[in-house]
Amino acid sequence: MPTERWKISVSGIVQGVGFRPFVYRLALARSLIGFVANTPEGVAIEGQGQVAQLEDFLVALRNEAPPLAQVNEIVSSAIPLGHDGSFVLRHSTASGPVSTLISPDVAVCEECLAEFFSPADRRFRYPFINCTNCGPRYTIVERIPYDRPHTTMRGFAMCALCQREYDDPANRRFHAQPNCCPDCGPQLSLLEADGRQVAQRDEALREAVRRLAAGEIVAVKGIGGFHLAVDAANAQAVSRLRQKKGREAKPLAVMVAGLPEARKICCLEAMEEQALTSQERPIVLAAKKTGHGLAEEIAPGYDQFGIMLPYAPLHYLLLEGPVRAVVMTSGNRSEEPICIENNEAVRRLGGIADCFLVHDRGIHLPCDDSVVGLQDGLIRQIRRSRGFAPKPIGLAATGDMVLGVGAELKNTVCLLKENQAFCSQHIGDLKNLEAYRVFQQSIGQLGALFEISPQLIAHDLHPQYLSSRWAKEQAVITLAVQHHHAHLAACLAENHQEGPAIGIILDGTGYGPDRTIWGGEVLLGDASGYERFSALESLPLPGGDAAVQAPWRTAVSYLHGAYGADLPDLPFMVEHECGVILDMVQKRLNSPLTSSCGRLFDAVAAMSGGRQTIQYEAQAAIELMQLAGGGLGKEVFPCEVYAEDDIAELSSLPARTKLIPSGCMLKISVRSLIRAVAQAVRSGMARGEISRRFHGGLVAVFTRVAEAARHREKINTVALSGGVFQNRLLLEGMISSLGRAGFQVLIHKELPCNDGCISLGQAVIGREALKKR
Ligand SMILES: [Zn+2]
Ligand SMILES: [Zn+2]
């Protein structure tokens, strides 16, 4: 059997995840000599031994990699034989560019948990136990390379025992940067609302558990920031939390001790259980079970709970009993980013929390819990954050480095490098100054960790957004991107499709080049450009944002659009001063035009006796969807489609992608739909039936428009994007209807369909624009 020496390079997430010890063990088992070392590109191996063993080694490298590793590429070649005496681990070379990936934060692993619950173990009940397979990463790294002095563990010197583990290639904690124990690592303490320390270590924990059980609001420092926790079975405590946090009705997340407890409160499908127990540990939206035993105040009027399982060791201790389910909501006031520092938490949450369970391991970057839900047979993202960020999303092609700075709400930022897209954690509402600070920090952090200096910054078309203004202040070329075009490009990029495609983009608000508010759009195009093929009719939104908060205003305006000044008499109008709204609409006072699909849902909900004012985003639409009872019927409300006057002019344009017309080919008649709803309400039709027919009407009309687009353009691919597609009934109805019509349908898989995907779309469009320069 011949002996050879192979040089093998491995790229992907292969540092800080136990990859070198893994390589070491594989090599020993196959009697190889040589070495393994971290390099700027990943891991370099030189292995020498029998060819059959080397071949086997290569297969094992890919197939048996540690749980947190992600092997992207393995390249090997034969080189001259060497004279090593054994197989060794070489130390990192810190020089040169580093493109090795930083892993997301990972829930505590089974092996660590076993030690954690074992009284004989030196880390018994130690809340900061971790190893190379688990623990915090993204939220504690300050810069690269990923070594302890570059993390928030910098201040904790390892004791002799920990150091020995850290240095031992055969140990699970070999080079585990946050490695620590009760003797040398971070500790818990309990602070009163005014910041005074009252207990430490295990005593702090016991006191926090006691206070939770007594109904107090406990602020708990976790992995990506603070949570506000209360006993989920205590209605009074939950109400008090809502009132203090200024969060009237928006559903709150619940953490339960384990899967058996989760099954008691939710009807779980296999995929939902898988998501709950995955190493990312997101919040999973799942159907409430009758007799769940938790406070109704957690998610009033909502047929799902957002539930999650413990992911930090500390959470297991909190939920040992007597409280087995706690509300765990982000530690912030409404719309602000999550708190990460102890002093900051006491300052910002002092008026909300009764006490603070804190620790002295710093959090470098705030990271909210991720939220996912089962839709069309797959677990899909609603908020992609802790556990997922900054794991890259693979792209079909490589290209220039570009930054997309995202949307105004549900902001994320995204950096492209080669064939990978690095999307940040959820940042939130950029109108908020704290969020704007995290926005800037995240751009800096992602750029530094992955060594990306963008050649172009793509931002929203809206000139007044803070993100647009920030982009223009940088010494880099910028590109303004229309919001719904970004949705289309993001959906294509995620699905590795070049397009062109028919983009059915339904959401709340996006600034159009005609300075109206878009949001019910059928676009034709790809990353290089688009045409507005069709859209919902634009109608006035009386009071702008005020109408978003009060769907009844939109209903009055849309009825005016459908009937003129002579409104039909509908029951909902009795409660309101409709005359004022009519006056605004007729005089077009502070009433911007919108083609928003979200507003259409609002109007129909309010008209049919649903929610008149909302307490959180999409509340009226969610309640309308729930009324339908989970399925569409045969009957649908008719919705007309008509050609716009400038159709001839537009179709004579030479190339689709050369300019951005503000008009469109086909208008979808919101007015015909509103008339149908009004007639149904007057005839006394049940609200559930109205909801089914309305959803069905939208599915039917958008399918028809897609067919018209296919007929003209010979494009058979449809991309669905926009926050309205979080509506499961509409999404699944649309997919099956388009499928029956023979379309290939693309939907988001790794990013949310809402504005969390905008930064990727912007970046991809920016990259395409650079090609033409
Ligand atoms: Zn572990
Ligand atoms: Zn130690």
Side-chain angles (χ1 to χ4, degrees), residues 122 158-159 162 180-181 183-184:
R122 68 192 190 93
M158 272 182 278
C159 68
C162 286
C180 58
C181 76
D183 292 333
C184 66

Side-chain angles (χ1 to χ4, degrees), residues 500-504 522 524 533 699-720 734-747:
I502 302 161
I504 302 181
V522 180
L524 297 179
F533 180 77
V699 167
V701 75
F702 279 106
T703 305
R704 257 164 65 212
V705 170
E707 284 172 324
R710 173 167 65 186
H711 182 74
R712 198 193 78 181
E713 291 287 325
K714 310 289 177 253
I715 299 172
N716 198 46
T717 303
V718 177
L720 303 180
M734 209 67 236
I735 291 169
S736 68
S737 169
L738 290 167
R740 280 196 303 277
F743 285 101
Q744 179 198 18
V745 184
L746 307 178
I747 44 179

Side-chain angles (χ1 to χ4, degrees), residues 557-634:
S557 168
Y558 282 24
L559 280 166
H560 175 264
Y563 290 95
D566 198 11
L567 299 193
D569 200 12
L570 297 182
F572 87 97
M573 294 154 85
V574 186
E575 306 173 33
H576 308 294
E577 296 277 352
C578 297
V580 179
I581 299 301
L582 280 179
D583 201 45
M584 282 179 86
V585 171
Q586 277 161 347
K587 294 184 181 148
R588 288 294 312 282
L589 290 172
N590 186 22
S591 298
L593 288 175
T594 186
S595 60
S596 165
C597 190
R599 298 297 80 76
L600 176 58
F601 268 88
D602 286 351
V604 171
M607 279 170 65
S608 57
R611 194 154 281 280
Q612 304 296 304
T613 58
I614 58 164
Q615 297 152 303
Y616 60 90
E617 191 196 16
Q619 189 181 16
I622 290 167
E623 291 176 1
L624 183 66
M625 176 196 73
Q626 291 181 170
L627 283 174
L632 300 174
K634 266 202 183 125

Side-chain angles (χ1 to χ4, degrees), residues 384-402:
R384 185 182 185 270
S385 209
R386 178 197 44 80
F388 295 97
K391 198 170 189 165
I393 290 155
L395 301 174
T398 186
D400 292 318
M401 293 197 261
V402 175

Side-chain angles (χ1 to χ4, degrees), residues 466-502:
L466 281 180
S467 53
S468 301
R469 287 199 253 166
W470 179 89
K472 286 178 194 139
E473 284 163 12
Q474 312 307 308
V476 178
I477 315 164
T478 58
L479 178 73
V481 175
Q482 202 281 324
H483 184 92
H484 303 95
H485 184 207
H487 269 294
L488 168 60
C491 189
L492 286 173
E494 242 197 85
N495 285 283
H496 291 197
Q497 298 272 329
E498 259 186 47
I502 302 161

Side-chain angles (χ1 to χ4, degrees), residues 665-676:
M665 304 289 291
L666 293 173
K667 282 274 162 167
I668 299 169
S669 171
V670 171
R671 289 175 289 190
S672 65
L673 204 47
I674 291 290
R675 280 193 294 268

Side-chain angles (χ1 to χ4, degrees), residues 109 112 130-131 133-134 172:
C109 72
C112 284
N130 68 84
C131 72
N133 299 329
C134 72
R172 195 170 94 252

Side-chain angles (χ1 to χ4, degrees), residues 190 198-199 202-212 355:
L190 190 78
V198 285
D202 217 36
E203 182 49 36
L205 178 91
R206 277 198 296 272
E207 179 64 10
V209 170
R210 196 190 62 72
R211 292 191 183 201
L212 263 184
C355 61

